[in-house]
């Protein structure tokens, strides 16, 4: 009786018989919030055969492509959403540089804007909210202090909101920009045309705006515009720093592999080459203190090898002819001749890097829910604001 032969097929072969499936890592610039993530993912996932997973902290997107969609199509789709994109090198299977916060000037820029906003917002807040400290002409001083905050300091929010608007979308920056512009515009109108600029005028904190027909002047909201800007700049600055720390594990993995290797040629001569130029079957020489550049079998030599990067064990392991060597581990004593069996993307350290990158790209269910909520949150808030305005106008009768 002939035995029945069975074979299991990966799901990718069932859904894509041609086997034309690949993964692309993109670096995305310009994202500021979960709504940006949701928009980029939505745009990419509309392409045929594309499944995208965007990571805000790492500013990257892992895109699985089944079909004929090109890298240029992916980049064009991201740019059409209002963001920048480029393909990350795939030579190591993971990004070859830190992508968590690639522009160190970004954090410094946010810090400068935050410090200016903080220095101006505190006196604006105190003077506006404490009537006893409202000297003659205080409102003009408050306006002068607020203008640099709502323009220069808040510029990143205005710019991001404008970019999103040009592409027919909205993000959290849209709400921030709208709030700051509305509070500032109203306050300037009240100051210049509404009577709030009258010298000697003071303003108390009230839960509800006072009716103008009672002789009250329009209220100023410079403190709201400046403090919103200051708090959010503080958050963006802290977020920029945390993005850098979030990529620490990936940076450490990137540093594990050897960059060069000493290859022994067939004539017995030695040649120093880049580690990614090694091929299966090459023989490499590893001297004491050097990193092993590939996975392979030790042919000659004896050495104590530090394998803590794989096993976590600090005690060196004795290695001799016939033993297996792991890329990224360090030969502490003795020289080794190793025949390469796995190189490049197939080495142990490369697989570790891939796992780390994939783990950072994965999202918890609550994070996916947050992304979905963020995609509709801004339109809902704007709609509620318009509804509130309409109801206030209809019920109060005073524009």
């Amino acid at each position: 009786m002939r035995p029945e032969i069975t074979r299991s097929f990966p799901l990718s072969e069932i859904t894509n018989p041609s086997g034309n499936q690949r993964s692309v890592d993109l670096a995305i610039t310009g994202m500021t919030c979960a709504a940006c993530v949701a928009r980029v993912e939505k745009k990419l996932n509309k392409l045929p055969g594309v499944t995208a997973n965007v990571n805000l902290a790492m500013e990257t997107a892992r895109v699985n492509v089944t079909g004929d969609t090109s890298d240029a199509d992916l980049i064009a789709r991201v740019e059409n959403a209002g963001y920048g994109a480029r393909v990350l090198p795939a030579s190591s299977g993971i990004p070859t540089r830190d992508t968590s916060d690639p522009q160190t000037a970004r954090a410094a820029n946010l810090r400068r804007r935050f410090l200016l906003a903080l220095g101006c917002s505190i006196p604006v807040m105190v003077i506006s909210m404490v009537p006893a400290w409202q000297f003659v002409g205080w409102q003009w001083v408050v306006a002068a202090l607020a203008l640099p905050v709502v323009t220069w300091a808040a510029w990143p929010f205005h710019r991001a909101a404008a970019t999103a608007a040009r592409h027919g979308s909205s993000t959290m920056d849209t709400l921030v920009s709208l709030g700051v512009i509305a509070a500032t515009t109203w306050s300037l109108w009240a100051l210049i045309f509404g009577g709030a600029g009258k010298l000697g005028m003071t303003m108390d904190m009230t839960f509800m705006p006072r009716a103008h027909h009672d002789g009250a002047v329009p209220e100023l909201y410079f403190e709201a515009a400046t403090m919103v800007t200051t708090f959010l700049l503080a958050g963006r600055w802290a977020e920029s720093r945390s993005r850098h720390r979030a990529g620490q594990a990936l940076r450490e993995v990137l540093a594990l592999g050897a960059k060069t290797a000493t290859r022994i040629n067939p004539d017995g001569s030695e040649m120093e080459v880049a580690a990614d130029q090694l091929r299966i079957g090459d023989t490499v020489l590893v001297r004491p203190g050097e990193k092993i550049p590939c996975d392979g079998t030790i042919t000659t030599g004896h050495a104590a090898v530090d394998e803590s990067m794989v096993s976590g064990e600090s005690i060196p392991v004795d290695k001799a002819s016939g033993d297996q060597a792991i890329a990224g581990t360090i030969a502490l004593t003795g020289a080794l001749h190793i025949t390469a069996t796995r190189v490049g993307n197939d080495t142990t350290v490369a697989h570790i890097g891939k796992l780390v990158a994939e783990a950072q790209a994965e999202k918890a269910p609550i994070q996916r829910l947050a992304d979905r909520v963020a995609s509709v949150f801004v339109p809902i808030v704007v709609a509620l604001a318009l509804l509130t305005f309409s109801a206030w106008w209809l019920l109060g009768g005073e524009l």
Side-chain angles (χ1 to χ4, degrees):
M1 183 175 179
R2 297 181 61 183
E4 182 180 357
I5 300 176
T6 61
R7 180 185 173 191
S8 59
F9 292 86
L11 181 59
S12 60
E13 292 188 20
I14 298 174
T15 57
N16 183 29
S18 64
N20 186 20
Q21 182 172 354
R22 60 195 179 92
S23 294
V24 181
D25 289 321
L26 298 176
I28 311 293
T29 58
M31 296 189 300
T32 58
C33 63
C36 299
V37 171
R39 178 163 176 79
V40 173
E41 286 186 346
K42 183 178 180 181
K43 285 287 187 180
L44 288 173
N45 289 333
K46 284 184 177 180
L47 289 170
V50 170
T51 303
N53 190 358
V54 179
N55 188 312
L56 176 61
M58 297 297 295
E59 295 184 321
T60 58
R62 169 60 61 86
V63 185
N64 294 319
V65 181
T66 303
D68 298 327
T69 302
S70 65
D71 293 350
D73 294 333
L74 299 176
I75 293 175
R77 185 55 64 97
V78 174
E79 291 177 346
N80 185 51
Y83 307 93
R86 64 181 182 82
V87 178
L88 289 171
S91 58
S92 63
I94 50 178
T96 56
R97 64 176 186 81
D98 173 24
T99 60
S100 61
D101 197 6
Q103 299 176 358
T104 55
R106 179 190 308 167
N109 182 38
L110 288 172
R111 180 177 181 271
R112 289 193 297 269
R113 294 178 190 272
F114 165 69
L115 292 178
L116 180 137
L118 183 65
C120 294
S121 298
I122 290 177
V124 169
M125 184 71 176
V126 172
I127 295 173
S128 300
M129 304 302 285
V130 182
W133 290 9
Q134 293 174 358
F135 50 86
V136 176
W138 67 271
Q139 62 272 50
W140 295 98
V141 174
V142 164
L145 289 173
L147 286 178
V149 179
V150 300
T151 53
W152 183 78
W155 180 247
F157 305 111
H158 301 320
R159 181 178 55 197
T163 300
R166 284 199 303 270
H167 292 84
S169 66
S170 59
T171 66
M172 297 302 177
D173 295 292
T174 304
L175 290 183
V176 178
S177 181
L178 283 175
V180 171
I181 290 174
T184 304
T185 303
W186 168 261
S187 299
L188 288 174
W189 180 89
L191 189 67
I192 299 172
F193 303 106
K198 182 179 179 181
L199 296 180
M201 184 271 294
T202 60
M203 190 170 295
D204 299 326
M205 289 188 296
T206 58
F207 181 72
M208 300 290 285
R210 292 165 294 188
H212 297 172
H213 54 71
D214 293 337
V217 297
E219 295 187 358
L220 304 178
Y221 296 98
F222 287 118
E223 76 282 357
T226 56
M227 292 308 295
V228 164
T229 301
T230 302
F231 276 122
L232 289 172
L233 281 174
R236 288 288 170 84
W237 179 31
E239 181 186 38
S240 181
R241 297 179 63 187
S242 68
R243 287 185 185 182
H244 183 79
R245 290 193 295 268
Q248 184 62 32
L250 185 55
R251 290 191 294 273
E252 292 176 354
V253 171
L254 291 173
L256 291 177
K259 301 299 185 290
T260 61
T262 302
R263 184 173 60 194
I264 300 178
N265 297 322
D267 60 2
S269 61
E270 299 176 4
M271 177 185 294
E272 185 170 334
V273 297
D276 58 6
Q277 293 181 1
L278 292 177
R279 298 294 179 264
I280 295 176
D282 286 349
T283 299
V284 297
L285 170 64
V286 181
R287 300 180 181 89
E290 293 182 344
K291 287 183 178 181
I292 297 174
C294 60
D295 292 356
T297 302
I298 299 173
T299 54
T300 59
H302 180 277
V305 179
D306 179 3
E307 294 187 339
S308 58
M309 56 85 65
V310 176
S311 65
E313 177 57 59
S314 60
I315 299 176
V317 179
D318 288 332
K319 296 284 186 176
S321 178
D323 291 337
Q324 297 298 310
I326 302 174
T329 58
I330 303 173
L332 301 178
T333 61
L336 298 173
H337 285 184
I338 301 173
T339 300
T341 57
R342 289 189 293 180
V343 297
N345 292 343
D346 200 35
T347 62
T348 301
V349 67
H351 284 296
I352 293 174
K354 290 177 184 178
L355 290 174
V356 172
E358 290 171 0
Q360 289 179 329
E362 284 297 319
K363 296 180 181 179
I366 188 65
Q367 187 177 0
R368 294 186 181 278
L369 176 62
D371 290 347
R372 289 195 297 269
V373 171
S375 64
V376 297
F377 178 76
V378 176
I380 290 176
V381 171
V382 172
L384 289 175
L386 292 174
L387 180 63
T388 303
F389 168 78
S390 301
W392 185 279
W393 188 12
L394 291 174
L395 296 177
E398 186 178 342
L399 183 59

